Amino acid sequence: MARGASATPRRSARVTGLRAPFYAREAGTGDPAAAAAAQGVPAEASEAERGAADAAVGNGATLAECGRDGAARGGGATAPLAPGATVALLLPASPEFLWLWFGLAKAGLCAAFVPTALRRGPLLHCLRSCGARALVLAPELLESLEPDLPALRAMGLHLWAVGPETQATGIGDLLAQASAEVDGPVPGYLSAPQSIMDTCLYIFTSGTTGLPKAARISHLKILQCQGFYQLCGVHQDDVIYLTLPLYHMSGSLLGIVGCLGIGATVVLKSKFSAGQFWEDCQQHGVTVFQYIGELCRYLVNQPPNKAEHDHKIRLAVGSGLRADTWERFVRRFGPLQVLETYGLTEGNVATFNYTGQRGAVGRASWLYKHIFPFSLIRYDVTTGEPIRDAQGHCMATSPGEPGLLVAPVSQQSPFLGYAGVPELAQGKLLKDVFRPGDVFFNTGDLLVCDDQGFLRFHDRTGDTFRWKGENVATTEVAEVLEALDFLQEVNVYGVTVPGHEGRAGMAALVLRPPNSLDLVQLYAHISENLPPYSRPRFLRLQESLATTETFKQQKVRMANEGFDPSALSDPLYVLDQAEGAYLPLTPARYSALLAGDLRV
């Protein structure tokens, strides 16, 4: 692929969609709230600029008009947009997504990246929580959104589609309207924040344990993410394959903003395809692949492909890659380097496995912790709270002991929280951790630091459960089960059993074609590799696992569905300890279990 010349090569990036390439240059991103008031206009602004701002704030302006001259010519049933308004994007990964993101920031408007799979109540919740005044959507989503349109119109939203392929009443063609505007310079004060901590966009959490929350993303975080690929050793001449959704932090902030920081080329794929992956990489000369762990698992589970041996990928960078998949991925597709990282959308801490130690997410060296401080503290799975000493302070873990990852909140490492009521951030901040008055961000993740300082992900605090007086980490159980050749995917979670304290382990299993479920081998394997309390009491055989659009496993939903054979159509099995085997969970065995006649 030819690369375009640029006078400022490190501040530009070529972004190639698999349909058509385009060039995206660095756009100013500013907190639009600051520009909404007349006093937010810099003193050096021209009189015309100040007048335009007053008009926009006083009367409102349409999306395109705010980006041009601030004149308020909007009208109709919905109130015109003013600088500072939030515009929600419901779009797949595409060049249009980037044009709108950067253009909104330039016009003093705040973007909210809405997950494209959301509909009905969750979609309306997200739009309300971030205070959206407009929604821009992809034409191909209109059919599935049809039942939501009355509610969206009732909210008073501006509704635009990116393209003319719509006849729906009240939905405008955004690109046509923008093309009709007079092209002129955009006043610089619109994108000028008052503070580097101001919110410049919203990214929603995955909502695996409830409705998504709109995490506030500051200008500081954007600047920090701009250095992501540079820290990973990626160069301007690299070609980065990005198949993650852009509404996710990994895709937008790390992938796109990180690319802008070094001026590299990004190849955008609107939806991940394991079958097309290697052909895409071969066709576009990809040298760097950004992953989420499950993507690598999908690739190693694919049948052999001749293109997988003739690629130029030298680096795979991402998060959530389990050690077993890591080994299989490198052995099959190498030689290539894997750089595993750890971070959260709303978090103030990140780690890099810069040594390449397999299975680790980073290393707790004294130098790294001096620059990016964090701690692992003892945590009680039963109470869901950190363990404190007699003075009320938290206690650091010992090497090899799972602990809750926390990081001090400071001006350099802030926590901005979420849009909406303050209660949404409840539990995310811990006070008086090591000394009176200190404040730490609670990641909600349990990690282990070994005696060499390597950090390994252990489990989510909500996923680890207690059974028979012991803590069971779902990730550890899943890794043991996934070592069986006939299993392709495993999801481990805890379920409530009447008459028992804690939660019993349950595993949803997907077979690797063309294998069948070998219950005898499975029982022998877990008996040898797992202590009694960690052995799953129930098995659920599925054709595919339920995941979010960002490939996170749906543990909460699965746990709520339980193990009642009359309510589930999937084959179910129960561990009969007296027989020393997994047996079909029939209605009779289910009744015996509830009556206490079948011991789990």
Side-chain angles (χ1 to χ4, degrees):
M1 287 184 294
R3 289 172 174 76
S6 171
T8 55
R10 298 192 65 80
R11 291 184 175 271
S12 66
R14 179 177 179 182
V15 185
T16 303
L18 295 187
R19 292 173 296 176
F22 82 105
Y23 290 83
R25 299 194 178 275
E26 186 176 49
T29 55
D31 187 343
Q39 62 265 32
V41 181
E44 63 270 22
S46 68
E47 184 174 337
E49 286 178 328
R50 290 195 293 271
D54 291 337
V57 174
N59 303 312
T62 65
L63 175 63
E65 290 157 359
C66 282
R68 301 304 183 199
D69 57 11
R73 296 174 300 185
T78 53
L81 298 178
T86 297
V87 178
L89 303 183
L90 194 66
L91 302 169
S94 61
E96 291 82 1
F97 188 110
L98 303 186
W99 296 337
L100 284 162
W101 174 11
F102 300 150
L104 290 170
K106 194 74 173 178
L109 295 160
C110 187
F113 300 164
V114 181
T116 53
L118 295 185
R119 298 292 184 273
R120 316 302 180 260
L123 172 62
L124 300 178
H125 161 81
C126 286
L127 296 174
R128 292 190 184 103
S129 67
C130 67
R133 299 288 306 282
L135 173 65
V136 183
L137 52 92
E140 61 266 28
L141 302 180
L142 272 172
E143 183 177 353
S144 63
L145 283 168
E146 189 70 32
D148 295 315
L149 292 180
L152 294 173
R153 294 189 184 102
M155 290 174 63
L157 293 173
H158 287 275
L159 298 176
W160 284 290
V162 185
E165 301 90 352
T166 174
Q167 301 297 323
T169 304
I171 298 181
D173 179 351
L174 179 62
L175 299 183
Q177 292 183 28
S179 298
E181 293 295 319
V182 176
D183 194 11
V186 179
Y189 64 80
L190 287 175
S191 58
Q194 288 185 329
S195 167
I196 199 170
M197 298 300 182
D198 287 344
T199 303
C200 65
L201 60 91
Y202 296 102
I203 294 181
F204 289 88
T205 62
S206 60
T208 52
T209 57
L211 289 171
K213 293 185 287 189
R216 300 180 183 273
I217 306 300
S218 68
H219 297 274
L220 174 63
K221 187 139 191 167
I222 295 288
L223 292 174
Q224 291 171 336
C225 291
Q226 195 173 19
F228 173 73
Y229 270 129
Q230 190 170 14
L231 288 174
C232 295
V234 181
H235 311 296
Q236 181 181 354
D237 293 335
D238 278 310
V239 179
I240 303 165
Y241 187 79
L242 188 60
T243 184
L244 305 175
L246 295 184
Y247 61 74
H248 191 273
M249 173 188 171
S250 296
S252 54
L253 300 191
L254 301 184
I256 297 301
V257 174
C259 173
L260 289 172
I262 59 174
T265 299
V266 169
V267 181
L268 281 178
K269 180 81 169 182
S270 59
K271 187 176 182 180
F272 174 75
S273 169
Q276 298 173 4
F277 178 86
W278 294 110
E279 285 83 354
D280 287 345
C281 292
Q282 194 176 65
Q283 177 183 352
H284 295 280
V286 172
T287 59
V288 177
F289 160 50
Q290 188 174 336
Y291 66 81
I292 290 177
E294 287 304 298
L295 301 189
C296 297
R297 181 182 301 278
Y298 295 153
L299 290 173
V300 298
N301 287 331
Q302 283 289 299
N305 182 324
K306 63 179 181 180
E308 71 186 46
H309 301 296
D310 188 21
H311 63 81
K312 298 180 181 178
I313 295 181
R314 65 174 184 86
L315 173 65
V317 57
S319 59
L321 184 58
R322 294 181 180 176
D324 60 324
T325 303
W326 189 329
E327 176 70 31
R328 294 171 60 198
F329 188 85
V330 173
R331 185 170 62 247
R332 178 171 171 181
F333 305 124
L336 53 82
Q337 177 191 358
V338 174
L339 202 165
E340 175 80 357
T341 66
Y342 170 88
L344 298 171
T345 301
E346 68 273 46
N348 67 342
V349 59
T351 63
F352 287 79
N353 184 1
Y354 51 86
T355 66
Q357 181 76 12
R358 291 186 185 178
V361 299
R363 195 171 192 183
S365 68
W366 68 268
L367 179 59
Y368 192 92
K369 292 186 70 174
H370 177 74
I371 302 173
F372 304 104
F374 63 87
S375 298
L376 295 181
I377 59 175
R378 292 180 174 173
Y379 180 83
D380 189 331
V381 174
T382 304
T383 63
E385 296 290 339
I387 299 173
R388 296 180 181 261
D389 60 19
Q391 287 72 42
H393 297 149
C394 298
M395 298 176 285
T397 59
S398 303
E401 179 186 3
L404 178 66
L405 177 65
V406 297
V409 175
S410 65
Q411 188 173 3
Q412 293 74 32
S413 302
F415 170 65
L416 296 187
Y418 311 96
V421 296
E423 288 75 17
L424 290 173
Q426 186 174 2
K428 301 306 294 186
L429 293 179
L430 299 175
K431 299 180 179 179
D432 305 325
V433 175
F434 294 117
R435 58 183 60 87
D438 64 12
V439 179
F440 278 65
F441 173 73
N442 174 9
T443 64
D445 288 330
L446 300 173
L447 275 68
V448 174
C449 183
D450 63 23
D451 53 6
Q452 294 183 319
F454 289 108
L455 293 164
R456 287 176 170 80
F457 183 84
H458 185 71
D459 213 4
R460 293 284 298 172
T461 53
D463 294 341
T464 289
F465 57 88
R466 198 164 180 84
W467 179 250
K468 302 295 186 181
E470 300 284 352
N471 296 337
V472 180
T474 61
T475 52
E476 289 187 348
V477 178
E479 286 180 5
V480 169
L481 291 173
E482 286 162 355
L484 291 165
D485 291 337
F486 59 83
L487 294 181
Q488 180 164 294
E489 294 182 85
V490 178
N491 182 12
V492 178
Y493 47 94
V495 292
T496 301
V497 180
H500 292 75
E501 293 184 0
R503 289 185 288 159
M506 186 167 184
L509 311 175
V510 175
L511 295 174
R512 188 187 309 279
N515 295 283
S516 58
L517 181 60
D518 189 335
L519 292 172
V520 174
Q521 184 182 353
L522 189 149
Y523 178 79
H525 179 75
I526 67 164
S527 297
E528 182 179 350
N529 293 280
L530 289 173
Y533 62 85
S534 290
R535 298 168 189 169
R537 265 50 187 179
F538 304 97
L539 305 177
R540 180 176 176 178
L541 192 60
Q542 295 189 294
E543 292 186 2
S544 62
L545 295 185
T547 62
T548 67
E549 272 203 326
T550 52
F551 309 103
K552 293 181 179 179
Q553 294 179 341
Q554 295 276 18
K555 293 180 183 285
V556 174
R557 195 191 86 187
M558 298 291 286
N560 290 336
E561 290 177 354
F563 52 90
D564 184 352
S566 65
L568 299 174
S569 59
D570 296 326
L572 300 173
Y573 303 88
V574 62
L575 176 60
D576 189 322
Q577 299 190 80
E579 294 286 338
Y582 281 103
L583 304 176
L585 182 55
T586 61
R589 288 196 176 97
Y590 180 74
S591 298
L593 189 153
L594 296 183
D597 298 330
L598 178 61
R599 186 169 64 90
V600 292

